Amino acid sequence: MRSRNPVLIAPSILASDFARLGEEIRAIEAAGADVVHVDVMDGHFVPNLTIGLPVVRAIRGVTTRVVDAHLMITNADQYVTRYVEAGCDWLSVHVEAVTHLQRVLQQIRDAGAEPGVVLNPHTHEDAVDYVLEDCHHVLVMSVNPGFGGQRFLPSALRKIERLRERAVARGLELRIEVDGGIDPDTAPLVREAGADVLVAGSAVFGAGDYAAAIAALRG
Ligand code: DX5
Ligand code: ZN
């Protein structure tokens, strides 16, 4: 079931040229990106290490778009307030990495950002059922987190459909975000299933023409 919200495109800067990060962000803004997706990895929750608070602060300084941080870190409860203070508009934590999920979502909201929960490919949508009202967005991983450029896992489609049905049945304006392997072939599938925020790293930054790449995902 398609979302009633307009689809937002969120390029993941993981695939950008980090040596020219400011320019890259200005380029995706000019190309029509709605959201800047920032992948924070700690080398523990996922087998990769990326960026943290100082880079989020720097990104906030160069964009007026929504800054969306995806925390792939353990002990996320100890960090969420600082990530909001660093300038995130949206902030999501993995259900697999947090013990007191509802409390963490409330911490994010109290700090002034829109909270989200991320589900790994193996995690059932029931894991978020009792906090759905506390979420601005649910981020469905369509690859195992840690790296860009992986192949889309089709099981994400059923999860997106079920979450959209649940949100509609409960009258929630939930954003459903999908992350991993999104390209012009998989984008129509996830939009039809009910996703309305599409994260894409390689499909945007790997393209010569960012505007055409973003338009192709929006459909
Ligand atoms: C993976 C990250 C993704 C990644 C997506 O752990 O969460 O945001 O950058 O990259 P692509 O679009 O290349 O699959
Ligand atoms: Zn991500």
Side-chain angles (χ1 to χ4, degrees):
M1 189 190 312
R2 284 188 74 107
S3 169
R4 289 184 315 168
N5 294 321
V7 170
L8 304 178
I9 305 299
S12 163
I13 59 151
L14 189 59
S16 72
D17 179 352
F18 279 142
R20 298 188 301 108
L21 186 55
E23 277 171 58
E24 291 275 66
I25 289 172
R26 278 187 279 271
I28 54 164
E29 271 199 34
D34 305 290
V35 173
V36 179
H37 184 82
V38 182
D39 290 304
V40 176
M41 305 187 190
D42 68 352
H44 294 280
F45 179 65
V46 288
N48 195 10
L49 187 64
T50 56
I51 56 167
L53 289 164
V55 181
V56 171
R57 255 179 237 121
I59 292 169
R60 175 76 288 162
V62 296
T63 187
T64 55
R65 295 291 192 274
V66 169
V67 174
D68 168 34
H70 169 193
L71 297 186
M72 285 159 273
I73 63 174
T74 54
N75 304 324
D77 55 314
Q78 295 172 23
Y79 293 95
V80 289
T81 304
R82 278 182 275 171
Y83 274 92
V84 177
E85 286 167 2
C88 300
D89 301 293
W90 300 359
L91 183 60
S92 57
V93 295
H94 271 260
V95 63
E96 305 86 5
V98 161
T99 306
H100 303 289
L101 181 60
Q102 199 280 334
R103 179 188 287 155
V104 176
L105 296 172
Q106 193 59 50
Q107 279 173 348
I108 296 171
R109 202 175 282 285
D110 289 346
E114 300 284 12
V117 176
V118 195
L119 304 176
N120 267 339
H122 72 273
T123 302
H124 197 284
E125 63 276 5
D126 281 353
V128 80
D129 195 61
Y130 288 95
V131 291
L132 216 50
E133 279 76 7
D134 299 298
C135 292
H136 164 266
H137 55 291
V138 172
L139 172 46
V140 173
M141 290 307 299
S142 40
V143 296
N144 287 289
F147 303 95
Q150 304 180 79
R151 193 140 42 97
F152 179 82
L153 297 169
S155 60
L157 294 172
R158 197 152 42 106
K159 200 183 294 183
I160 293 167
E161 279 166 14
R162 289 176 172 183
L163 279 166
R164 179 55 70 203
E165 281 166 14
R166 235 174 249 204
V168 168
R170 283 152 70 165
L172 300 174
E173 285 287 323
L174 181 75
R175 283 275 180 188
I176 300 179
E177 187 172 11
V178 57
D179 184 1
I182 300 299
D183 61 23
D185 294 327
T186 54
L189 306 177
V190 298
R191 292 196 311 261
E192 278 308 314
D196 53 12
V197 184
L198 274 54
V199 177
S202 341
V204 172
F205 288 102
D209 180 342
Y210 292 174
I214 289 170
L217 299 175
R218 209 186 291 281

